[in-house]
Amino acid sequence: MAYLNDHYFKLKAGYLFPEIARRVRAFSDEHPDLGKALVRCGIGDVTEPLPAAVIEAMHRAVDELAHRETFRGYGPEQGYEFLRHAIAENDYRKLGMDIADDEIFVSDGSKCDCGNILDIFAHQNRIAVVDPVYPVYVDTNVMTGHTGPADEFGAYEGLVYLPCTKANGFVPEIPKQRVDLIYLCFPNNPTGSVATRQQLQVWVEYALDSGAIILYDAAYEAYIVDPAIPHSIYEISGARDCAIEFRSFSKNGGFTGVRCGFTVLPKSMAALTSAGEKKKLHPLWNRRFSTKFNGVSYPVQRGAEAIYSEKGRQQVRTLVSHYLGNARILAESLRSTGLEVFGGQNAPYLWVAAPSGYSSWQVFDKILRDLQVVVTPGAGFGAQGEGYFRVSAFNSRQNAQEAARRFKELRW
Ligand code: MLT
């Protein structure tokens, strides 16, 4: 008989969002009349249609596929040159960052890349994650066998947890013990916090001094409105030698269902073989792409390219302001009830402190039961998330206003 990957049995309770969906379904089944009025502020999924420039580009690309002369089969696994160039030029070089076209790897999304990147790293790395954390970083390490079992609080043996609390502004401090891979995410999911240039400089210097690698998830960079906050880790000098960046078209262009993102892996980055020899990472990631992936579809890549056109940029700005407008409406309403609210200014997520005495799942249940609003319990993101809940601003304006109206009725 065949053998299973035992590491999957260490995973806690199922991925957070399916668990929330299960509880919401159970509530709706018990209260079919109330279930209909649900307002979902849980998962960070976009609600607004794709930008018109994207739609037009995708239509044109589909038409090309309809004719023998312009038909395309397999594309380059790492992405079409037109998109790699548009990304490197607009997101990096025009802003003063030295990133070459072939350091961009176009993929089906940053969530996938955050998990897939582990293919090129060894098992003996000590891995640091922030707490609260986007569960994908932790669960993919568990699945790969990089951890021991979880304790009663859901913390996995072998991982180094970096607490992000109100006291440190939800930006982690350098750990006391040595770590080799460090996941950072700014603007942060779930806390909505951002890191300053100085804070990121400290991390880059730590990585350069210790030979560690930063896995920098910048999926929400489009939400940064404060001009002093870096959008990319490569705005920090030295980062080309120690950081891999993950980006997404999901949260700027609304591609959560369309699927397209990219990884930036500078050719200068190196790490050790088990024999202690220093080798470059870029050829390994390139090899992984060529072997396990056949590239993102042509119409989708044309759609992503359109995000960089003049019209596309304007339409993305409108989308982002829409969601940030929702964040303001939701934050004002929650604050008016006396709750302490973080994030939401340079990020689409609000991180809200629950009233004392309430666990975050209790708050989730109460808000679901009393208001028929779905939020995300902070504990689902790690031990430091206990006592908090996350409110997503990804919604129609009507739904955000309705949720804001209902939040005002909260009685503890
Ligand atoms: C979330 O709600 O945290 C998001 O859906 C994360 C993601 O984009 O995968």
Side-chain angles (χ1 to χ4, degrees), residues 27 34-35 37-39 367-374 406:
F27 174 81
L34 295 178
L38 280 179
V39 179
I367 293 180
L368 179 61
R369 200 177 51 242
D370 294 358
L371 309 180
Q372 291 84 60
V373 175
V374 182
R406 294 188 198 177

Side-chain angles (χ1 to χ4, degrees), residues 75-405:
E77 295 92 348
Q78 300 77 0
Y80 282 102
E81 190 46 47
F82 63 78
L83 181 56
R84 298 176 92 186
H85 177 76
I87 293 168
E89 186 65 15
N90 292 289
D91 282 340
Y92 298 100
R93 290 198 290 269
K94 275 189 186 160
L95 307 173
M97 287 168 268
D98 173 23
I99 297 293
D101 294 359
D102 62 356
E103 293 176 327
I104 306 290
F105 291 83
V106 176
S107 73
D108 57 344
S110 59
K111 170 175 167 177
C112 318
D113 285 347
C114 287
N116 291 336
I117 197 73
L118 294 177
D119 272 11
I120 66 165
F121 289 109
H123 288 297
Q124 59 267 46
N125 286 309
R126 281 183 70 83
I127 292 154
V129 293
V130 292
D131 179 10
V133 62
Y134 177 42
V136 172
Y137 313 147
V138 172
D139 288 1
T140 52
N141 274 288
V142 175
M143 291 169 174
T144 314
H146 289 171
T147 74
D151 68 14
E152 64 197 283
F153 306 106
Y156 288 91
E157 189 186 292
L159 289 185
V160 175
Y161 288 88
L162 309 173
C164 291
T165 60
K166 181 178 163 184
N168 61 21
F170 305 101
V171 176
E173 283 135 41
I174 302 289
K176 301 220 175 354
Q177 65 273 62
R178 191 202 91 227
V179 293
D180 306 304
L181 293 181
I182 305 146
Y183 289 86
L184 294 179
C185 169
F186 292 109
N188 185 258
N189 178 12
T191 65
S193 63
V194 285
T196 63
R197 194 169 296 279
Q198 293 75 10
Q199 286 167 323
L200 291 179
Q201 188 72 58
V202 169
W203 276 104
V204 167
E205 276 160 22
Y206 168 80
L208 290 172
D209 287 349
S210 62
I213 286 174
I214 296 173
L215 302 173
Y216 194 78
D217 184 351
Y220 298 94
E221 62 77 32
Y223 290 81
I224 297 173
V225 290
D226 181 342
I229 300 295
H231 287 239
S232 164
I233 192 71
Y234 304 117
E235 290 182 49
I236 310 301
S237 93
R240 263 193 69 85
D241 294 328
C242 66
I244 298 173
E245 182 160 290
F246 304 100
R247 291 246 192 140
S248 170
F249 294 110
S250 287
K251 312 295 161 94
N252 56 1
F255 275 39
T256 55
V258 175
R259 306 309 306 152
C260 194
F262 60 92
T263 295
V264 188
L265 203 159
K267 281 180 271 188
S268 44
M269 291 192 62
L272 296 177
T273 64
S274 52
E277 207 184 335
K278 224 173 178 186
K279 293 263 192 195
K280 300 281 191 220
L281 295 178
H282 189 276
L284 272 68
W285 188 234
N286 195 49
R287 182 62 204 263
R288 191 219 168 265
F289 256 70
S290 315
T291 306
K292 290 199 179 180
F293 192 51
N294 261 336
V296 174
S297 81
Y298 176 67
V300 167
Q301 292 196 55
R302 281 293 184 200
E305 181 193 27
I307 284 181
Y308 296 99
S309 66
E310 202 40 53
K311 262 166 62 186
R313 282 169 184 283
Q314 180 52 46
Q315 290 159 1
V316 164
R317 273 198 293 275
T318 306
L319 274 178
V320 167
S321 341
H322 164 82
Y323 293 123
L324 284 175
N326 286 349
R328 269 193 301 279
I329 292 166
L330 291 162
E332 266 166 34
S333 136
L334 288 157
R335 283 197 183 104
S336 76
T337 71
L339 291 172
E340 199 172 8
V341 181
F342 304 92
Q345 276 165 345
N346 294 284
Y349 296 123
L350 306 175
W351 190 239
V352 189
S356 71
Y358 281 87
S359 76
S360 56
W361 276 109
Q362 280 169 337
V363 172
F364 169 87
D365 285 332
K366 180 171 172 61
I367 293 180
L368 179 61
R369 200 177 51 242
D370 294 358
L371 309 180
Q372 291 84 60
V373 175
V374 182
V375 296
T376 307
F381 297 103
Q384 297 292 338
E386 185 50 278
Y388 288 89
F389 62 100
R390 191 191 76 173
V391 178
S392 163
F394 288 113
N395 231 321
S396 64
R397 183 52 52 86
Q398 195 186 355
N399 274 353
Q401 283 167 337
E402 178 59 18
R405 190 189 65 70

